[in-house]
DNA sequence: GAAAAATATGGTCAAATGACTACGTTTTTT
DNA sequence: AAAAAACGTAGTCATTTGACCATATTTTTC
């Protein structure tokens, strides 16, 4: 499983062979079935996780049981609850598999070691953080200002591949609209 | 103006006198009047800015002219458009003063120098980034899942001080609801 | 392969929301 | 101090949205 991960790393920066092996050696592989949880609300996020294959979702739940999805993490992305991981405090969100997935996990202490040892990893990590910030800002702006139809169109435009792999109810939970509204939009677009 | 800034820095980490002076020496002070822009959509965000006094808002505008506020930056916080600043590309949001404000600004190249020179500043900066991520995640979750009244109550609970300084229309623009809905909620809460 | 679960759609109805407008009050500007 | 701008509230009305429910279809599970 680490081979795919190593080629991902290679494609992002010029890691040498020993760095690659060193990073991989501390990873713990895991297979997740549909709806298996990587992290449950209230638990402490002890690992940084790379998705080798499949897709996870990060979501919050409300008292009535409804899900609200913060982001999807498909293959070749990283995932964690940053707040819980950084401070090692209980998480307020969940991470679960959307589909059969393979992941690699590093404990915080191991990953911190790697960051200190390997400057290239540190800088990659900073890039990813900066992308995550930007991503969540864009999403906030969209949540605040876009109409349901705009959100849906933006999602199709930006993530056509995910679109095909996700059930509509998750897309609705991601866009912050009801499933009913989503099917209405789709219906309207068919007849235009 | 730099004295307040230096005591802010002191309160967050044990900077020595020469570091403080070094950091301050590269800052450019600026006074902003109400509605003065620090950054306009399309411009490149060339500075990292610390708010000494007053309050700024970071917001996007839509084609119809409506404003949607991503966050408020009161005194003793930092502000910038991270994407535009990091990559030095045109910004997609605006930053303007809510009230009379005093700020300190560093160019990216100067600040990068400081980060490299002063490890303590680097680690403070990482802390702030992590807080910003967490903040924007919480906000996204709230935007996706909370009702207008919940959003309003959360805002009063979390930011009672800002509440008093902001006109309602900005609070509405921040919560992603119409001014009408906001006054309705306030009206309902009065009669309960 | 059969049973069970999840999915996508749509009808109906009540409630929530926003656009427009108006008006009296407060704040800011000059 | 006077004029102008911004502010907070509220009435009305059309539209959007969600809750609840039913159903046909597809996918998953065992």
């Amino acid at each position: 499983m680490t081979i795919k991960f190593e080629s991902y790393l290679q494609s992002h920066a010029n890691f040498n062979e020993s760095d690659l092996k060193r990073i991989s050696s501390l990873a713990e592989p895991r297979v997740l079935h549909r709806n298996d949880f990587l992290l449950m609300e209230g638990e402490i996020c002890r690992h940084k996780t790379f998705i080798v294959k499949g897709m996870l979702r990060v979501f919050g739940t409300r008292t009535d049981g409804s899900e609200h999805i913060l982001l999807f993490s498909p293959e070749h992305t990283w995932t964690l609850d940053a707040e819980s991981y950084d401070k090692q405090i209980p998480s307020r969100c969940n991470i679960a598999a959307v589909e059969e997935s393979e992941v690699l996990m590093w404990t915080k202490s191991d990953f911190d070691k790697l960051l200190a040892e390997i400057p290239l990893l540190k800088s990659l990590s900073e890039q990813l953080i900066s992308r995550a910030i930007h991503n969540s800002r864009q999403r906030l702006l969209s949540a605040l200002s876009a109409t349901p139809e705009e959100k849906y169109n933006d999602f199709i435009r930006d993530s056509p591949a995910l679109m095909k792999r996700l059930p509509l109810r998750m897309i609705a939970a991601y866009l912050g609209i009801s499933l009913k509204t989503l099917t209405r939009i789709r219906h309207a677009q068919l007849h235009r």
Side-chain angles (χ1 to χ4, degrees), chain A:
Chain A
M1 197 189 296
T2 58
I3 291 180
K4 282 188 196 163
F5 169 66
E6 288 172 18
S7 79
Y8 157 86
L9 277 189
Q10 287 276 17
S11 73
H12 281 263
N14 244 327
F15 291 95
N16 63 44
E17 197 62 25
S18 81
D19 285 345
L20 291 181
K21 290 305 167 208
R22 171 75 176 133
I23 299 173
S24 292
S25 72
L26 296 179
E28 176 192 332
R30 184 169 164 193
V31 171
L32 295 167
H33 298 287
R34 224 157 71 94
N35 288 323
D36 280 357
F37 279 71
L38 188 71
L39 177 71
M40 286 188 76
E41 210 169 323
E43 290 177 356
I44 293 173
C45 182
R46 303 199 180 279
H47 299 87
K48 183 165 286 204
T49 301
F50 179 79
I51 291 90
V52 175
K53 187 187 140 199
M55 173 153 46
L56 310 192
R57 66 189 194 280
V58 181
F59 62 102
T61 51
R62 289 179 58 83
T63 44
D64 65 1
S66 62
E67 271 189 33
H68 296 273
I69 297 176
L70 291 168
L71 58 87
F72 296 110
S73 255
E75 58 280 341
H76 302 170
T77 61
W78 299 79
T79 201
L80 43 53
D81 174 16
E83 190 196 21
S84 172
Y85 177 85
D86 286 343
K87 306 187 203 160
Q88 295 284 294
I89 58 174
S91 170
R92 281 193 277 180
C93 61
N94 308 271
I95 305 179
V98 170
E99 54 189 52
E100 188 91 1
S101 302
E102 297 173 11
V103 304
L104 293 170
M105 301 176 6
W106 290 259
T107 62
K108 179 164 160 56
S109 62
D110 281 348
F111 206 87
D112 284 346
K113 260 185 242 161
L114 293 173
L115 286 175
E117 283 173 23
I118 307 172
L120 222 54
L121 186 62
K122 173 83 176 170
S123 87
L124 173 59
S125 168
E126 282 175 8
Q127 267 179 54
L128 295 175
I129 289 173
S130 133
R131 203 173 307 165
I133 291 182
H134 167 235
N135 197 308
S136 109
R137 269 225 182 167
Q138 267 316 111
R139 216 156 127 50
L140 177 57
L141 187 53
S142 154
L144 289 180
S145 67
T147 65
E149 181 156 17
E150 287 167 339
K151 292 181 199 175
Y152 176 64
N153 290 339
D154 290 352
F155 182 71
I156 294 178
R157 177 177 38 112
D158 299 336
S159 314
L162 296 197
M163 178 73 209
K164 290 175 198 145
R165 289 158 70 181
L166 291 167
L168 288 189
R169 68 172 182 83
M170 285 196 193
I171 296 174
Y174 178 80
L175 300 178
I177 64 183
S178 71
L179 177 56
K180 176 78 211 215
T181 298
L182 184 51
T183 64
R184 270 201 270 246
I185 292 168
R186 289 163 59 84
H187 179 87
Q189 293 192 346
L190 274 179
H191 301 290
R192 244 195 262 148

Coordinates of all heavy atoms in Angstrom, one line a residue, chain A residues 13-52:
Chain A
A13 N 7.3 16.6 -4.4 CA 8.6 17.2 -4.0 C 9.7 16.1 -4.2 O 9.4 15.0 -4.2 CB 8.6 17.7 -2.6
N14 N 10.9 16.6 -4.2 CA 12.0 15.7 -4.5 C 12.5 14.9 -3.3 O 13.7 15.1 -2.9 CB 13.1 16.4 -5.2 CG 13.3 15.9 -6.6 OD1 13.1 14.8 -6.9 ND2 13.7 16.8 -7.5
F15 N 11.7 14.1 -2.8 CA 12.2 13.3 -1.6 C 13.2 12.3 -2.1 O 13.1 11.7 -3.2 CB 11.0 12.6 -1.0 CG 10.1 13.5 -0.3 CD1 8.9 14.0 -1.0 CD2 10.3 13.9 1.0 CE1 8.0 14.8 -0.3 CE2 9.4 14.8 1.6 CZ 8.3 15.2 1.0
N16 N 14.2 12.0 -1.3 CA 15.2 11.0 -1.7 C 14.7 9.6 -1.1 O 13.8 9.6 -0.3 CB 16.6 11.3 -1.2 CG 16.7 11.4 0.3 OD1 16.1 10.5 1.0 ND2 17.4 12.4 0.8
E17 N 15.3 8.6 -1.6 CA 14.8 7.2 -1.3 C 14.7 7.0 0.2 O 13.7 6.4 0.7 CB 15.7 6.2 -2.0 CG 15.1 4.8 -2.1 CD 13.9 4.8 -2.9 OE1 13.7 5.7 -3.8 OE2 13.0 3.9 -2.7
S18 N 15.7 7.5 0.9 CA 15.8 7.1 2.4 C 14.7 7.9 3.1 O 14.1 7.4 4.1 CB 17.1 7.4 3.0 OG 17.3 8.8 3.2
D19 N 14.4 9.1 2.7 CA 13.3 9.8 3.3 C 12.0 9.1 3.1 O 11.2 8.9 4.0 CB 13.2 11.2 2.7 CG 14.2 12.2 3.2 OD1 14.9 11.9 4.2 OD2 14.4 13.2 2.6
L20 N 11.8 8.7 1.9 CA 10.5 8.0 1.6 C 10.4 6.7 2.5 O 9.3 6.5 3.0 CB 10.5 7.5 0.1 CG 10.4 8.6 -0.9 CD1 10.4 8.0 -2.3 CD2 9.2 9.4 -0.7
K21 N 11.4 6.0 2.5 CA 11.4 4.7 3.4 C 11.1 5.1 4.8 O 10.3 4.4 5.5 CB 12.7 3.9 3.2 CG 12.9 3.3 1.9 CD 11.7 2.4 1.5 CE 11.7 2.0 0.0 NZ 10.4 1.8 -0.5
R22 N 11.8 6.1 5.3 CA 11.7 6.6 6.7 C 10.2 6.9 6.9 O 9.6 6.6 7.9 CB 12.6 7.7 6.9 CG 12.4 8.4 8.2 CD 13.0 7.6 9.4 NE 12.9 8.4 10.6 CZ 12.5 7.9 11.7 NH1 12.1 6.6 11.8 NH2 12.4 8.6 12.8
I23 N 9.6 7.7 6.0 CA 8.2 8.2 6.3 C 7.3 7.0 6.2 O 6.5 6.8 7.1 CB 7.8 9.2 5.2 CG1 8.7 10.4 5.3 CG2 6.4 9.6 5.4 CD1 8.5 11.4 4.2
S24 N 7.4 6.1 5.2 CA 6.6 5.0 5.1 C 6.7 4.0 6.3 O 5.7 3.5 6.7 CB 6.9 4.2 3.8 OG 6.6 4.9 2.7
S25 N 7.9 3.9 6.8 CA 8.1 2.9 7.9 C 7.3 3.2 9.1 O 7.0 2.3 9.9 CB 9.6 2.9 8.2 OG 10.0 4.1 8.9
L26 N 6.9 4.5 9.3 CA 6.2 4.8 10.5 C 4.7 4.8 10.3 O 3.9 5.0 11.2 CB 6.6 6.2 11.1 CG 8.1 6.2 11.5 CD1 8.4 7.6 12.0 CD2 8.3 5.2 12.6
A27 N 4.3 4.5 9.1 CA 2.8 4.5 8.7 C 2.2 3.2 9.1 O 2.7 2.1 9.0 CB 2.6 4.7 7.3
E28 N 1.0 3.3 9.6 CA 0.2 2.1 9.9 C -1.0 2.0 8.9 O -1.8 2.9 8.8 CB -0.4 2.3 11.3 CG -1.3 1.2 11.8 CD -2.0 1.6 13.1 OE1 -1.4 2.4 13.9 OE2 -3.1 1.1 13.3
P29 N -1.0 0.9 8.1 CA -2.0 0.8 7.1 C -3.4 0.4 7.7 O -3.4 -0.3 8.8 CB -1.5 -0.2 6.2 CG -0.6 -1.0 7.0 CD -0.1 -0.2 8.1
R30 N -4.5 0.7 7.1 CA -5.7 0.3 7.6 C -6.8 0.3 6.5 O -6.7 1.1 5.6 CB -6.2 1.2 8.7 CG -7.5 0.8 9.4 CD -7.8 1.6 10.6 NE -9.2 1.4 11.0 CZ -9.8 2.2 11.9 NH1 -9.2 3.2 12.5 NH2 -11.1 2.0 12.2
V31 N -7.6 -0.7 6.5 CA -8.7 -0.8 5.5 C -10.0 -0.4 6.2 O -10.3 -0.8 7.3 CB -8.8 -2.2 4.9 CG1 -10.1 -2.3 4.1 CG2 -7.6 -2.5 4.1
L32 N -10.8 0.4 5.5 CA -12.1 0.9 6.1 C -13.2 0.4 5.1 O -13.1 0.6 3.9 CB -12.1 2.4 6.2 CG -11.2 3.0 7.2 CD1 -11.1 4.5 7.0 CD2 -11.6 2.7 8.6
H33 N -14.2 -0.2 5.7 CA -15.4 -0.5 4.9 C -16.3 0.7 4.9 O -16.2 1.6 5.7 CB -16.1 -1.7 5.5 CG -15.2 -2.9 5.5 ND1 -14.9 -3.6 4.3 CD2 -14.5 -3.6 6.4 CE1 -14.1 -4.6 4.5 NE2 -13.8 -4.6 5.8
R34 N -17.3 0.6 4.0 CA -18.3 1.7 4.0 C -18.9 2.0 5.4 O -19.3 1.1 6.1 CB -19.5 1.2 3.1 CG -20.0 2.2 2.1 CD -20.7 1.6 1.0 NE -22.0 1.0 1.4 CZ -23.1 1.6 1.3 NH1 -23.1 2.8 0.8 NH2 -24.2 1.1 1.6
N35 N -18.9 3.3 5.7 CA -19.4 3.8 7.0 C -18.6 3.4 8.2 O -19.0 3.7 9.3 CB -20.9 3.3 7.2 CG -21.8 4.0 6.2 OD1 -21.6 5.2 6.0 ND2 -22.8 3.4 5.7
D36 N -17.5 2.8 8.0 CA -16.5 2.6 9.2 C -16.0 4.0 9.6 O -15.8 4.8 8.8 CB -15.3 1.8 8.8 CG -15.7 0.3 8.8 OD1 -16.8 -0.1 9.1 OD2 -14.8 -0.5 8.4
F37 N -15.9 4.2 10.9 CA -15.4 5.4 11.4 C -13.9 5.4 11.6 O -13.4 4.5 12.1 CB -16.1 5.8 12.7 CG -17.5 6.3 12.6 CD1 -18.5 5.5 12.1 CD2 -17.7 7.7 12.8 CE1 -19.8 6.1 11.9 CE2 -19.0 8.2 12.6 CZ -20.0 7.4 12.2
L38 N -13.3 6.5 11.2 CA -11.9 6.7 11.5 C -11.8 7.5 12.8 O -10.8 7.4 13.6 CB -11.2 7.5 10.4 CG -9.7 7.7 10.4 CD1 -9.1 6.3 10.1 CD2 -9.3 8.7 9.4
L39 N -12.8 8.4 13.0 CA -12.8 9.2 14.2 C -14.2 9.5 14.6 O -15.0 9.8 13.7 CB -12.1 10.5 13.9 CG -12.1 11.6 15.0 CD1 -11.2 11.1 16.2 CD2 -11.7 13.0 14.5
M40 N -14.6 9.4 15.8 CA -15.9 9.7 16.3 C -15.9 10.9 17.2 O -14.9 11.1 18.0 CB -16.6 8.5 17.0 CG -17.0 7.4 16.1 SD -17.9 6.1 16.9 CE -19.5 6.9 17.1
E41 N -16.9 11.7 17.1 CA -17.1 12.9 17.9 C -16.8 12.5 19.4 O -17.3 11.4 19.8 CB -18.5 13.3 17.8 CG -18.7 14.8 18.0 CD -20.2 15.2 17.6 OE1 -20.7 14.6 16.6 OE2 -20.7 16.1 18.3
G42 N -16.0 13.3 20.0 CA -15.7 13.0 21.4 C -14.3 12.3 21.6 O -13.7 12.4 22.7
E43 N -13.9 11.6 20.6 CA -12.6 10.9 20.6 C -11.5 11.9 20.3 O -11.8 13.0 19.8 CB -12.5 9.8 19.6 CG -13.3 8.6 19.9 CD -13.2 7.6 18.7 OE1 -12.6 7.9 17.7 OE2 -13.8 6.5 18.8
I44 N -10.3 11.6 20.7 CA -9.2 12.4 20.3 C -8.6 12.0 19.0 O -8.4 10.8 18.8 CB -8.1 12.4 21.4 CG1 -8.7 13.1 22.7 CG2 -6.8 13.1 21.0 CD1 -7.8 13.0 23.9
C45 N -8.3 12.9 18.1 CA -7.8 12.6 16.8 C -6.3 12.3 17.0 O -5.5 13.2 17.1 CB -8.0 13.7 15.8 SG -7.4 13.4 14.2
R46 N -5.9 11.0 17.1 CA -4.5 10.7 17.4 C -3.6 10.5 16.1 O -2.4 10.4 16.2 CB -4.5 9.4 18.2 CG -5.3 9.5 19.5 CD -4.9 8.5 20.5 NE -5.7 8.6 21.7 CZ -5.5 9.5 22.7 NH1 -4.4 10.3 22.6 NH2 -6.3 9.6 23.7
H47 N -4.2 10.5 15.0 CA -3.5 10.2 13.8 C -3.7 11.3 12.7 O -4.7 11.9 12.6 CB -3.8 8.9 13.2 CG -3.6 7.7 14.1 ND1 -4.5 7.3 15.0 CD2 -2.5 6.9 14.3 CE1 -4.0 6.3 15.7 NE2 -2.8 6.0 15.3
K48 N -2.6 11.4 11.9 CA -2.7 12.1 10.6 C -2.9 11.0 9.6 O -2.2 10.0 9.6 CB -1.5 12.9 10.4 CG -1.5 13.7 9.1 CD -0.4 14.8 9.1 CE -0.7 16.0 10.0 NZ 0.0 17.2 9.6
T49 N -3.8 11.2 8.7 CA -4.2 10.0 7.8 C -4.1 10.4 6.3 O -4.6 11.5 5.9 CB -5.6 9.6 8.1 OG1 -5.7 9.2 9.5 CG2 -6.0 8.4 7.2
F50 N -3.5 9.6 5.5 CA -3.4 9.7 4.1 C -4.3 8.7 3.4 O -4.3 7.5 3.8 CB -2.0 9.5 3.6 CG -1.9 9.7 2.1 CD1 -1.8 10.9 1.5 CD2 -1.8 8.6 1.3 CE1 -1.7 11.1 0.1 CE2 -1.6 8.7 -0.1 CZ -1.6 10.0 -0.7
I51 N -5.2 9.2 2.5 CA -6.1 8.2 1.9 C -5.4 7.7 0.6 O -5.2 8.5 -0.3 CB -7.5 8.9 1.6 CG1 -8.2 9.2 2.8 CG2 -8.3 8.0 0.7 CD1 -7.9 10.5 3.5
V52 N -5.2 6.4 0.6 CA -4.5 5.8 -0.6 C -5.5 5.5 -1.6 O -5.3 5.7 -2.8 CB -3.8 4.5 -0.1 CG1 -3.2 3.8 -1.3 CG2 -2.7 4.8 0.9

